[in-house]
Amino acid sequence: MRDVLPVLGRWYAAGVPFGLATVVQVSRSAPRDPGAAMAVGPDEEVVGSVSGGCVEGAVFELAQEVAAGGGARLETFGYSDEDAFAVGLTCGGEITLLVRAVTPERDPGFGAVADSVAAGEPVTVATVTDGPAPRGAALAVWPDRTLGSLGASGLDAAVTADARGELALGATGLRHYGPEGQRREDSVSVFLQSFAPPPRMLVFGAIDYAAAVARIGDFLGYRVTVCDARPVFATPRRFPEGVEVIAEWPHRYLRDTDTDERTVICVLTHDPKFDVPLLTEALRRPAAYIGAMGSRRTHADRAERLAGAGLTERELSRLRSPVGLDLGARTPEEVAVSVAAEIVALRWGGSGAPLSATEGAVHPHRAP
């Protein structure tokens, strides 16, 4: 949804109705996670995807129907191989979609949501998917305000409280309530989709490898900052547009920067005077990934210095070094792919092995 919102925001601002299909529930080896979206707008323009191509044709027709005035629809697509022309998933999974029309009248908060996502402001969108409440009704929830309604004040209050809790986690998924928001009932299904600010990637060492890592980090959706103590190297012209470049001693910058459980830290300096104080700071703070470049000999020396600086074995075990997966990478761009592959594998619990050498589902089910 985050990827298609800029286009949807323009359609919305122009007052053009469009059909929006959102994945609200998945099972088994589903191709896309909850929150994936596809929209059909003016002149049959399509943006986004809900299945990677398996059911997009059927969803296109559904989105056109609701945009032309039809009511919101809840549709489930599962595996189908008996008929070569049947609409279904080939992966063996199942997805449930909410397909609804979006207009300023039906969803007064959509434009403000699009603006907040573009500005990096946290917001959660709650949408009724099933039950006695109006299907497709939407409520946008910010930390300090709300816009829209799910049809009942009690339901709005309960969902607002839960949505603000989900904002801190950036969580997305179905929740269940009674018609007036009762916690112990499940007659009303509400899909909560949280848009937290993008996670951060902090790249230390303004070398050629840093430019490649920054580029792929931006491609993966991270808000990227490159930091180096040497002003001659820490210049914006050496890095992709949109990447923040800071000239500062790395450990000082990190000490004054907030990180969380989604933050990625890539240390590419491989110089003890930078590495040791920087990694001492990094390994004692929240982060999803901490990787450091260098040979195995460099890593051994670095680990010894860090242990001498007082880091425990548990803290040192968080360090991914030498950085990246074993792809045989040589060029800065290839090394960046190796680093990105390790970050993605760690994020989703992948093994890093070739899929042809593994068994089971390609996209294992993950608990919400």
Side-chain angles (χ1 to χ4, degrees), residues 277-347:
L278 171 60
L279 288 169
T280 299
E281 177 69 31
L283 293 169
R284 289 173 170 167
R285 59 167 51 230
Y289 175 92
I290 303 170
M293 177 177 280
S295 66
R296 298 191 190 281
R297 178 180 297 177
T298 298
H299 169 68
D301 176 71
R302 181 191 290 131
E304 184 176 347
R305 292 172 183 269
L306 289 170
L311 270 76
T312 65
E313 289 188 12
R314 182 175 181 180
E315 290 168 337
L316 287 172
S317 69
R318 300 179 62 204
L319 179 60
R320 317 287 289 196
S321 177
V323 70
L325 296 186
D326 180 13
L327 304 182
R330 294 289 188 274
T331 68
E333 290 74 21
E334 290 173 344
V335 169
V337 170
S338 169
V339 172
E342 184 174 41
I343 292 169
V344 172
L346 186 63
R347 177 182 181 185

Side-chain angles (χ1 to χ4, degrees), residues 110-124:
F110 191 91
V113 168
D115 291 342
S116 289
V117 173
E121 298 171 352
V123 59
T124 293

Side-chain angles (χ1 to χ4, degrees), residues 146-157:
T146 64
L147 191 56
S149 175
L150 303 181
S153 59
L155 183 60
D156 288 347

Side-chain angles (χ1 to χ4, degrees), residues 57 91 129 171 183 189 192 195 197 212 221 243 245 256 282:
C91 59
T129 65
R183 301 284 183 178
S189 297
L192 298 184
F195 296 93
V243 171
V245 181
D256 296 331

Side-chain angles (χ1 to χ4, degrees), residues 21-218:
T22 305
V23 177
V24 298
Q25 193 169 24
V26 302
S27 67
R28 300 190 297 279
S29 185
R32 301 296 304 272
D33 286 330
M38 169 181 160
V40 179
D43 300 322
E44 299 185 346
E45 183 179 355
V46 178
V47 293
S49 172
V50 291
S51 73
C54 297
V55 301
E56 265 69 4
V59 176
F60 174 82
E61 294 180 359
L62 286 170
Q64 281 190 311
E65 290 176 15
V66 299
R73 302 272 293 274
L74 191 68
E75 298 286 343
T76 297
F77 295 91
Y79 179 69
S80 176
D81 67 348
E82 296 179 359
D83 181 348
F85 295 99
V87 175
L89 304 178
T90 59
C91 59
E94 185 176 275
I95 59 173
T96 299
L97 306 175
L98 175 68
V99 187
R100 65 188 182 100
V102 178
T103 66
E105 294 74 26
R106 296 191 185 198
D107 190 346
F110 191 91
V113 168
D115 291 342
S116 289
V117 173
E121 298 171 352
V123 59
T124 293
V125 178
T127 312
V128 174
T129 65
D130 205 7
R135 177 175 289 160
L139 172 69
V141 181
W142 290 266
D144 58 350
R145 67 191 190 281
T146 64
L147 191 56
S149 175
L150 303 181
S153 59
L155 183 60
D156 288 347
V159 170
T160 295
D162 288 350
R164 285 179 174 151
E166 301 291 9
L167 266 180
L169 304 174
T172 289
L174 281 174
R175 301 293 181 269
H176 303 281
Y177 307 87
E180 288 294 332
Q182 298 93 329
R183 301 284 183 178
R184 296 186 179 183
E185 297 185 26
D186 60 2
S187 60
V188 179
S189 297
V190 179
F191 182 64
L192 298 184
Q193 185 170 12
S194 297
F195 296 93
R200 298 200 66 182
M201 173 182 279
L202 306 177
V203 182
F204 294 97
I207 59 178
D208 289 345
Y209 291 93
V213 170
R215 188 175 299 110
I216 203 167
D218 180 67

